[in-house]
Amino acid sequence: MDSNYGFGIRVEKLVVTTLAIFGWYSVLSPGSRGPIDVYSVRSRIRWCHQVKYRDSTFSLDCINGDLARIMRHSSLHNCTPILAFVSPIIPTYSMG
């Protein structure tokens, strides 16, 4: 398994785990090769997530090429498109 692919799966699972805390049922998209990485449902609300990890400067440039695919897929499957940006938390002394 490619290390970037494996890391991407771990980040997507983190999104699924976080959503579960808030009552969402979520599944990973098979293979994560399409425009959507995670599907989530709660109380008939459907979300389609594209997950992006960034360890440095935040920029929407990373999704410009995929935006049309994400929007088309979401429209076809009647779900709200969600861009989930994940980044590390930098530890500070003010955090308890």
Side-chain angles (χ1 to χ4, degrees):
M1 180 184 310
D2 175 67
S3 62
N4 286 337
Y5 179 79
F7 183 75
I9 294 294
R10 286 195 307 273
V11 171
E12 291 168 9
K13 287 180 180 180
L14 174 64
V15 170
V16 168
T17 301
T18 303
L19 288 165
I21 292 169
F22 295 97
W24 289 86
Y25 171 75
S26 302
V27 295
L28 295 176
S29 176
S32 291
R33 294 293 179 201
I36 301 302
D37 297 318
V38 177
Y39 294 92
S40 300
V41 177
R42 183 180 76 179
S43 302
R44 297 187 197 149
I45 298 170
R46 296 165 39 143
W47 286 354
C48 299
H49 308 262
Q50 175 55 243
V51 179
K52 297 290 185 185
Y53 176 82
R54 289 291 169 261
D55 61 358
S56 59
T57 306
F58 174 83
S59 171
L60 290 177
D61 293 341
C62 64
I63 57 110
N64 280 341
D66 294 330
L67 189 56
R69 287 179 28 179
I70 294 166
M71 298 304 289
R72 185 171 42 255
H73 179 91
S74 297
S75 178
L76 288 172
H77 296 279
N78 194 30
C79 60
T80 302
I82 304 293
L83 299 174
F85 289 93
V86 178
S87 64
I89 296 175
I90 299 170
T92 65
Y93 292 108
S94 65
M95 294 178 72

